[in-house]
């Protein structure tokens, strides 16, 4: 008998007596998932060890069989970790590969492990535990990036820079305020992952194929052993559910979108036209032909990751949208895209954390840019309202006339003379120039959540308390 026939025979044995002939090569190729679901080996073995302990505790199998099974599973885990385990496509998936090897190691007791469970609840468990682990990793990665941003914000709470709308200079803001904007975004990302984790933290094991089991299992025991808050409450939903993966992908997509926005700013800011920041050599590359180039490749690649992650989300939504209850083989297509999205998100978070930690702001350039483009025009309008009691719409019109005058003279608003200003409105006084400097402008924005340095520092204190 050839090796391939031997593998097919073993696969048939695992399936049971229903099938007389082995799968042909095409069916084996489309049916097998071991090429990717072997990433869940640790979760599969952890779940099986908990299941064996529960079967013994409830008297379904003997304590001796359970002990032999659990030791055999540890041997298999050691073989996998050491790279000595031979994965077989003929055995389809991680569950059958592990069970087959367990039989080789311990013989008959291996056949008792699958009592009171199905591959349907087994894969639901493995995948949920894997996604839960990745959710924890994402939470840690987001927190690390937030802390790096807080360091930047604290250093630059007083540094002025232009704030933009439509990528046009709008009003002066502080560097710290800009960094804190991304802290807020990531704070929402953090809460989304934390919230999703609470919902996914129910144990599927024991739902069996779809209807539960007639064996006297203790689902609360396995749930507690595996770190879940409790067991799921409906066996049909349990085997059909992939919401936990969809929520992970949705939270990952929004987080990646935030990273992409910041990456875009870093690309713009590090250009020769802006020179707002300098990226470290660790996160830049050179050109093969232009020796002067320092390319923000890490930022550009982060910017691109959203496409893969969002694509994974759309892909899984498309798989799940038309499936009747409960399990369908379509759901085998749930994992590869989640694995890829998780890898992409963690890499993007780590790279962005490194870039932010190494980022150098060119404060002189930022301050000059903050004063350009008539950025204190709104401060002038506010002064006219506050000091002269004008309606804001009148103040807006007067300010627009002064901007037009400055533009025609080729200067900025602070460079207009008092006579220039009084030619538009005679009640304007010398005190107006106090609000036209960029530092005065940012210092005046003292409303809660505003760009004033004192407000920025209050938000830094708040977020440091949240994270620590």
């Amino acid at each position: 008998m050839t090796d391939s026939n031997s593998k097919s025979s073993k696969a048939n044995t695992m399936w049971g007596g229903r099938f007389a002939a082995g799968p042909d090569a095409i069916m084996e190729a489309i049916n097998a998932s071991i090429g990717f679901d072997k990433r869940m080996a640790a979760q599969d073995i952890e779940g099986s060890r908990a299941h064996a302990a529960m079967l013994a505790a409830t008297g379904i199998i003997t304590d001796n069989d359970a002990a032999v099974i659990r030791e055999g599973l540890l041997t298999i885990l050691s073989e996998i970790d050491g790279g000595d385990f031979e994965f077989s496509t003929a055995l389809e998936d991680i569950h059958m590969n592990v069970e087959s090897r367990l039989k080789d190691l311990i013989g008959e007791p291996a056949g008792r492990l699958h009592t009171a469970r199905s591959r349907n609840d087994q894969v639901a468990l493995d995948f949920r535990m894997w996604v839960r682990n990745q959710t924890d990793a994402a939470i840690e990665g987001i927190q690390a990036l937030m802390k790096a941003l807080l360091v930047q914000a604290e250093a630059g709470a007083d540094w002025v820079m232009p704030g933009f709308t439509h990528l046009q200079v709008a009003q002066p803001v502080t560097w710290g305020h800009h960094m804190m904007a991304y802290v807020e975004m990531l704070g929402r990302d953090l809460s989304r992952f934390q919230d999703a984790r609470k919902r996914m933290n129910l144990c599927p094991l024991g739902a069996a194929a779809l209807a539960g089991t007639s064996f006297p299992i203790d689902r609360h025991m396995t749930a507690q052993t595996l770190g879940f808050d409790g067991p799921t409450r409906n066996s049909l939903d349990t085997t059909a559910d992939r919401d936990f993966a969809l929520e992970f992908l949705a939270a990952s997509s929004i987080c990646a979108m935030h990273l992409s926005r910041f990456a875009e700013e870093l690309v713009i800011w590090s250009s020769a036209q802006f020179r707002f920041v300098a990226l470290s050599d660790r996160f830049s590359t050179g050109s093969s032909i232009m020796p002067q180039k320092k390319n923000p490749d890490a930022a550009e690649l982060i910017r691109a990751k959203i496409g893969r992650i969002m694509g994974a989300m759309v892909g899984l939504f498309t798989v799940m949208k038309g499936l009747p209850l409960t399990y369908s083989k379509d759901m085998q297509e749930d994992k590869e895209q989640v694995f890829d999205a998780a890898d992409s998100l963690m890499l993007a978070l780590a790279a962005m954390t490194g870039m932010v930690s190494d980022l150098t702001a060119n404060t002189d350039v930022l301050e000059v840019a903050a004063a350009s483009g008539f950025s204190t025009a709104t401060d002038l309008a506010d002064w006219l309202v506050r000091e002269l009691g004008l309606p804001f719409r009148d103040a807006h019109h007067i300010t627009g006339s002064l901007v037009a005058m400055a533009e025609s003279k080729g200067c900025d608003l602070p460079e207009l003379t008092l006579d220039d200003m009084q030619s538009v409105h005679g009640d304007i006084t010398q005190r107006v120039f106090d609000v036209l400097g960029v530092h005065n402008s940012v210092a005046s924005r003292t409303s809660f959540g505003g760009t004033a340095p004192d407000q920025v520092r209050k938000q830094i204190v708040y977020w440091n308390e949240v994270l620590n």
Side-chain angles (χ1 to χ4, degrees), residues 135-156:
T135 299
D136 291 340
I139 288 170
E140 290 181 11
I142 291 168
Q143 289 172 331
L145 177 52
M146 292 173 75
K147 289 175 182 178
L149 286 163
L150 286 168
V151 171
Q152 283 283 354
E154 195 159 16

Side-chain angles (χ1 to χ4, degrees), residues 232-462:
T232 55
R233 293 182 174 274
N234 184 284
S235 62
L236 295 173
D237 174 63
T238 298
T239 55
D241 173 38
R242 292 298 183 269
D243 286 3
F244 61 91
L246 289 167
E247 282 199 82
F248 175 80
L249 291 175
S252 297
S253 295
I254 297 172
C255 182
M257 177 269 292
H258 290 151
L259 298 180
S260 180
R261 295 183 73 175
F262 194 22
E264 169 70 1
E265 293 201 318
L266 293 179
V267 170
I268 293 171
W269 290 355
S270 61
S271 68
Q273 290 73 26
F274 273 73
R275 296 187 300 111
F276 284 4
V277 300
L279 301 177
S280 74
D281 291 347
R282 291 200 309 146
F283 295 97
S284 306
T285 64
S287 166
S288 62
I289 190 172
M290 295 168 284
Q292 84 281 8
K293 294 292 293 298
K294 185 176 181 180
N295 298 324
D297 281 11
E300 291 171 349
L301 289 166
I302 291 171
R303 187 174 58 186
K305 291 295 183 186
I306 177 63
R308 293 177 68 154
I309 296 171
M310 186 180 293
M313 180 183 69
V314 173
L316 185 53
F317 268 113
T318 306
V319 167
M320 297 301 298
K321 71 174 183 61
L323 298 186
L325 294 181
T326 56
Y327 182 83
S328 297
K329 193 70 171 182
D330 311 51
M331 291 163 70
Q332 183 168 290
E333 295 297 314
D334 58 0
K335 295 170 197 68
E336 283 182 281
Q337 46 212 344
V338 177
F339 294 162
D340 183 76
D343 291 344
S344 294
L345 179 65
M346 293 310 302
L347 186 57
L349 283 168
M352 185 61 83
T353 302
M355 279 196 297
V356 169
S357 299
D358 290 357
L359 192 64
T360 301
N362 297 326
T363 55
D364 292 343
V365 175
L366 289 170
E367 185 162 341
V368 170
S372 67
F374 312 107
S375 65
T376 56
T378 304
D379 297 278
L380 173 55
D382 289 347
W383 185 88
L384 293 170
V385 172
R386 190 171 53 250
E387 297 294 323
L388 303 185
L390 297 177
F392 182 79
R393 284 301 167 204
D394 292 348
H396 186 282
H397 179 77
I398 292 167
T399 301
S401 298
L402 290 170
V403 166
M405 179 186 293
E407 196 168 35
S408 68
K409 289 177 174 285
C411 66
D412 212 331
L413 283 172
E415 296 167 311
L416 290 176
T417 67
L418 181 59
D419 287 341
D420 290 333
M421 294 200 178
Q422 288 179 340
S423 70
V424 175
H425 194 285
D427 293 338
I428 294 175
T429 68
Q430 186 68 34
R431 291 196 306 274
V432 75
F433 292 98
D434 293 339
V435 302
L436 295 182
V438 291
H439 287 280
N440 289 334
S441 174
V442 297
S444 71
R445 306 293 172 184
T446 56
S447 56
F448 184 84
T451 193
D454 288 346
Q455 283 296 324
V456 171
R457 292 189 177 95
K458 287 178 181 178
Q459 298 307 320
I460 293 171
V461 169
Y462 169 80

